[in-house]
Amino acid sequence: MQNMAYMRPATRTAFCHFREGLEPLLQAQSQTLNTRDQDLFLIRLERYFADFYEPFARLYQARPDFETQLAKLGPLLIEHYANRAESLKKLDLERQLTPEWFQHETMVGGIYYVDLFAGTLRGVRQHLPYLQELGLNYIHLMPLLKPRPGLNDGGYAVMDYCQTNPELGTMADLEALTAELRANNMSLCIDLVVNHTAKEHEWANRARAGEQEYLDYYLTFDDRTLPDAYEKTLPEVFPEFAPGNFTYYPEMGKWVWTTFNEFQWDLNYTNPTVFREMLTYMLFLANKGVEILRLDAVPFMWKRLGTNCQNQPEVHELLQAFRALVRIVAPGVIFKAEAIVAPQDLISYLGTGQHTGKECELAYNNSLMVLLWSSLASRKVNLMTHTLRQMPATPIGTTWITYVRLHDDIGWAIDDENAAAVGENGFLHRQFLNQYYSGEFPGSFSRGEIFQFNPTTRDGRMSGMTASLAGLEKALADKDPTELEMAIRRILLLYSVIFSYGGIPLIYMGDELGLLNDYSYRQNLHKADDNRWLHRPAMPWVLAAQRHNLDTLAGRLFSKMQQLIKARCRTSQLHSAASVATLWADNPHIFAYLRYHPAYGRLLALANFSEQPQIISNSLLVENGLSGHICDVSQLDCPPVAVYNGQLLLEPYQFRWLIQKEA
Ligand code: GLC
């Protein structure tokens, strides 16, 4: 009993008590759990108990029902452990032996709406060969649990977490899919909406009926006093279609906290019952074979008067407590935080300070995504270089999700201070980006739409598919072959960075074929108000069928993307554990970063963000330890790279992944 020795006295006492309560329950499961299973459970319990108990106690110890609440968690863990399939228990063992599995350079992901990609969960299974052909092994399927009828925020308003959306298939279909993915070394990520439920969830129905127990699951107010006080410092997520953060329900005579849409009710995590209920859903989904839980809207889980009610310290306590308990039952499962927040708040979701190694394994590198688009519009990389140099390294055992586009809008999370440091005005730069990407700015190559313009703050965000924002839509409309070439290069440039900067890169469905904006949402009653549907097109399988024809646009992009993935997968310097250092190149248009892996050495990535050829001095290479025979491993034939007169040339929008060849 090694781990007990490290526990604080109060934690040790709580642990002994907790374990004593569980032992008879474990033994009662001897039909399903053999002695080895039981031993494993107890070893894990001891290993992770402090990680769970200490934040849980900090959150809830002051409550009179603390001990009762604590005691209710044990049986839940055992129940789900007993229900865990043998194949998943084997996966747990494998993952614990290879805890860095998701950091491998061979990890490449894609994001899909089940209905838009393949109709149903069974359809997804039929299309697995397509995903494999592209080279993916991490599949994020957008919300697929049972949503409320009608408007449902793209599935983020869930009324039943234990059922799939019946239009997509059944839980059995989901299990069959995860089994098939596992058999093919692919992992499934799904969304778990932890911050809110649909107002049609059973808890909400019972709250509406006046049951106090369920009113306590949500944040409700008899009058406007507190809502008004909170509103003073709360931003609005959807100022256009869902202004304000509270909704009045006359039938309840109460205001309900609704950060997002009116039909999404924020949960009350000051109530430990809510914690337990959400844990139950996590374990339930883990047992269906889901390997990555994308925890939706985590920054909003804890509210505090006088703040923006995001990123509160308690959010990290909650995440750590969840993390530890899921590790006891299903250590093969990892957490991905959906925290689209400012750079200084972002890293905490990967576990920093007292939470190091105990929070989420994955978080979205939102800053990188925003800065890529910022640089593409300005043709300058100063702001990106400066900002990324401020970002701390990812803690050991964690990594980023890197991406160019997702199903959401692009919020211009550009820090005023960082902008000022490179001589830019943050506000004006954000205005510029909206003008540029909506196509209003003279000479813009982009075709996007502004999302949720707030006339008070003049803030706006951006919707649009990668290809349309990168110039493909306009080039095709203008029948301009030069611009077409530039647009293709821009798309590949952006992807080259997310494939090599560090983390699991995610390809947004259709980007591999150059899919353009889908304007049909304007005719759909359930979508017309929300222009994020502009970049949520259906998968055009007819277009996909052209992917082997290199004379087509789709074929060119698909094969290039496939090659880049292959190049990434054989480049060990791109393992997530290899460090990344963003460098100042001596050219404001060239983004440069060094990946360093202690076993495999250095890789210098260069990316030209302008449509002009650019040169950099060879000294950048030499200073970063590259000399002699240099080759570009982003190309499958790894061509040697020539230096003339001490300078290296990059063609318009060219990128290079340089390594030194063994002499
Ligand atoms: C996340 C989702 C977004 C949704 C919101 C509310 O940010 O990505 O699509 O609107 O959560 O659930």
Side-chain angles (χ1 to χ4, degrees):
M1 288 295 161
Q2 286 276 319
N3 279 296
M4 231 169 97
Y6 304 128
M7 289 181 195
R8 294 191 176 118
T11 307
R12 194 180 311 145
T13 312
F15 168 67
C16 292
H17 194 65
F18 195 83
R19 192 186 51 192
E20 266 165 39
L22 288 194
E23 271 162 352
L25 295 180
L26 256 187
Q27 280 147 20
Q29 290 282 358
S30 58
Q31 293 291 327
T32 32
L33 298 172
N34 63 30
T35 329
R36 180 56 54 87
D37 287 332
Q38 296 188 24
D39 284 347
L40 250 181
F41 182 87
L42 291 173
I43 293 170
R44 286 187 199 142
L45 180 70
E46 184 174 331
R47 166 67 184 81
Y48 296 117
F49 185 80
D51 290 358
F52 146 69
Y53 177 76
E54 290 175 4
F56 188 78
R58 285 192 289 266
L59 289 168
Y60 302 120
Q61 203 160 31
R63 295 174 55 105
D65 63 345
F66 174 68
E67 292 297 334
T68 331
Q69 290 286 354
L70 182 64
K72 284 184 180 169
L73 293 169
L76 200 71
L77 301 183
I78 294 192
E79 179 196 329
H80 286 87
Y81 184 56
N83 285 340
R84 194 149 172 84
E86 282 306 315
S87 56
L88 295 174
K89 286 194 199 146
K90 183 169 159 237
L91 181 79
D92 291 336
L93 289 177
E94 277 178 26
R95 297 294 199 227
Q96 287 206 299
L97 278 173
T98 319
E100 74 284 8
W101 64 275
F102 59 89
Q103 296 186 313
H104 216 262
E105 62 276 12
T106 53
M107 288 297 294
V108 181
I111 313 158
Y112 303 87
Y113 281 96
V114 174
D115 54 345
L116 298 172
F117 177 64
T120 60
L121 289 164
R122 287 176 183 214
V124 174
R125 280 175 70 190
Q126 280 154 15
H127 286 297
L128 283 192
Y130 176 82
L131 304 176
Q132 286 173 307
E133 186 185 330
L134 186 56
L136 309 187
N137 48 15
Y138 167 117
I139 310 300
H140 175 192
L141 294 182
M142 296 298 292
L144 50 74
L145 300 178
K146 189 176 177 187
R148 73 188 291 268
L151 287 178
N152 59 36
D153 188 23
Y156 287 101
V158 178
M159 63 181 281
D160 189 342
Y161 289 73
C162 295
Q163 278 190 57
T164 50
N165 180 344
E167 288 173 15
L168 307 179
T170 62
M171 263 302 162
D173 293 337
L174 181 67
E175 274 191 275
L177 173 65
T178 57
E180 187 160 346
L181 286 170
R182 249 190 336 277
N184 287 288
N185 290 322
M186 298 166 96
S187 300
L188 182 68
C189 166
I190 72 164
D191 288 84
L192 179 64
V193 188
V194 287
N195 177 67
H196 45 268
T197 71
K199 70 171 179 183
E200 289 76 10
H201 190 286
E202 192 203 337
W203 305 336
N205 289 338
R206 298 181 74 165
R208 225 180 346 264
E211 287 185 49
Q212 189 54 47
E213 190 187 340
Y214 289 93
L215 279 166
D216 289 344
Y217 276 48
Y218 297 96
L219 298 151
T220 63
F221 307 88
D222 292 334
D223 59 41
R224 277 299 300 187
T225 318
L226 273 173
D228 283 342
Y230 278 112
E231 282 289 13
K232 286 198 180 119
T233 49
L234 278 177
E236 290 175 310
V237 179
F238 298 139
E240 274 183 25
F241 54 63
N245 288 277
F246 301 87
T247 307
Y248 186 69
Y249 293 92
E251 71 273 29
M252 296 169 78
K254 286 184 192 299
W255 292 87
V256 179
W257 198 308
T258 51
T259 300
F260 295 90
N261 290 287
E262 170 277 319
F263 51 78
Q264 291 161 302
W265 287 15
D266 287 51
L267 286 163
N268 171 19
Y269 278 95
T270 66
N271 177 358
T273 306
V274 171
F275 175 89
R276 190 179 67 246
E277 297 269 27
M278 201 44 82
L279 174 72
T280 313
Y281 291 152
M282 289 178 179
L283 298 176
F284 172 81
L285 293 169
N287 279 353
K288 299 291 167 205
V290 173
E291 294 182 30
I292 301 110
L293 286 174
R294 174 194 182 272
L295 306 178
D296 182 65
V298 280
F300 301 86
M301 286 165 81
W302 198 275
K303 329 290 185 193
R304 173 165 283 112
L305 203 60
T307 71
N308 65 357
C309 296
Q310 291 179 44
N311 315 311
Q312 296 302 307
E314 290 83 353
V315 168
H316 299 289
E317 304 278 34
L318 284 168
L319 290 173
Q320 179 178 321
F322 279 132
R323 182 65 293 220
L325 295 179
V326 174
R327 271 182 174 155
I328 294 170
V329 176
V333 171
I334 58 172
F335 280 7
K336 172 165 74 167
E338 193 250 344
I340 307 303
V341 297
Q344 66 275 17
D345 295 317
L346 188 54
I347 194 86
S348 335
Y349 289 89
L350 293 176
T352 53
Q354 62 176 339
H355 302 293
T356 303
K358 300 172 182 176
E359 215 169 314
C360 300
E361 285 84 354
L362 302 171
Y364 290 94
N365 194 336
N366 172 53
S367 300
L368 177 66
M369 182 275 292
V370 166
L371 291 159
L372 285 172
W373 289 108
S374 153
S375 300
L376 203 65
S378 67
R379 276 78 166 171
K380 284 190 300 197
V381 302
N382 311 28
L383 180 58
M384 174 154 67
T385 305
H386 172 78
T387 309
L388 294 176
R389 283 172 67 91
Q390 312 301 309
M391 271 179 64
T394 50
I396 288 172
T398 68
T399 195
W400 294 118
I401 289 292
T402 55
Y403 62 109
V404 172
R405 283 298 288 120
L406 286 181
H407 67 291
D408 279 325
D409 49 286
I410 307 175
W412 303 116
I414 284 166
D415 183 72
D416 286 345
E417 250 177 61
N418 285 334
V422 296
E424 298 264 2
N425 173 312
F427 175 77
L428 293 180
H429 185 61
R430 291 189 292 271
Q431 300 286 308
F432 160 73
L433 292 171
N434 271 333
Q435 285 169 8
Y436 197 89
Y437 283 109
S438 60
E440 281 165 37
F441 197 83
S444 161
F445 50 67
S446 170
R447 290 285 174 269
E449 287 183 3
I450 294 182
F451 178 69
Q452 302 291 313
F453 182 70
N454 184 332
T456 323
T457 59
R458 302 201 55 77
D459 269 341
R461 286 120 71 181
M462 188 51 54
S463 288
M465 285 295 283
T466 301
S468 296
L469 298 180
L472 199 62
E473 187 170 328
K474 180 171 187 297
L476 287 169
D478 295 350
K479 299 197 171 53
D480 181 335
T482 315
E483 261 307 300
L484 193 80
E485 176 63 29
M486 291 300 147
I488 294 175
R489 290 189 186 193
R490 284 185 203 109
I491 297 170
L492 293 169
L493 178 84
L494 297 177
Y495 271 98
S496 83
V497 177
I498 69 139
F499 283 147
S500 60
Y501 192 79
I504 305 180
L506 289 193
I507 301 175
Y508 189 58
M509 189 203 86
D511 279 2
E512 74 279 11
L513 301 168
L515 221 57
L516 304 177
N517 288 342
D518 176 4
Y519 295 94
S520 68
Y521 81 96
R522 293 176 182 163
Q523 276 81 53
N524 183 323
L525 213 66
H526 285 155
K527 298 182 175 172
D529 281 348
D530 185 344
N531 70 20
R532 289 178 298 174
W533 290 100
L534 184 64
H535 51 260
R536 297 171 182 175
M539 180 73 176
W541 288 105
V542 177
L543 190 72
Q546 298 174 1
R547 67 187 181 279
H548 301 131
N549 180 351
L550 295 183
D551 295 333
T552 64
L553 194 62
R556 271 186 74 188
L557 269 166
F558 189 90
S559 77
K560 287 277 184 204
M561 204 74 108
Q562 218 180 13
Q563 282 171 30
L564 256 181
I565 293 172
K566 283 199 182 120
R568 168 183 159 89
C569 291
R570 52 148 208 222
T571 306
S572 311
Q573 290 89 340
L574 300 182
H575 189 290
S576 288
S579 63
V580 57
T582 307
L583 307 171
W584 285 112
D586 53 1
N587 180 320
H589 311 287
I590 294 187
F591 183 47
Y593 46 99
L594 183 75
R595 300 295 311 274
Y596 174 70
H597 190 292
Y600 305 104
R602 294 153 193 272
L603 178 147
L604 177 68
L606 301 174
N608 176 3
F609 273 75
S610 83
E611 56 261 88
Q612 308 298 327
Q614 300 291 339
I615 45 174
I616 57 147
S617 156
N618 186 40
S619 58
L620 184 72
L621 276 68
V622 177
E623 280 160 19
N624 287 289
L626 271 74
S627 58
H629 298 286
I630 310 291
C631 67
D632 180 352
V633 291
S634 73
Q635 310 279 322
L636 284 186
D637 55 350
C638 305
V641 172
V643 176
Y644 292 109
N645 292 334
Q647 288 177 330
L648 190 75
L649 177 86
L650 272 91
E651 299 291 347
Y653 296 121
Q654 189 181 10
F655 56 86
R656 289 170 174 279
W657 297 348
L658 304 179
I659 65 164
Q660 184 175 323
K661 263 213 207 128
E662 297 298 320

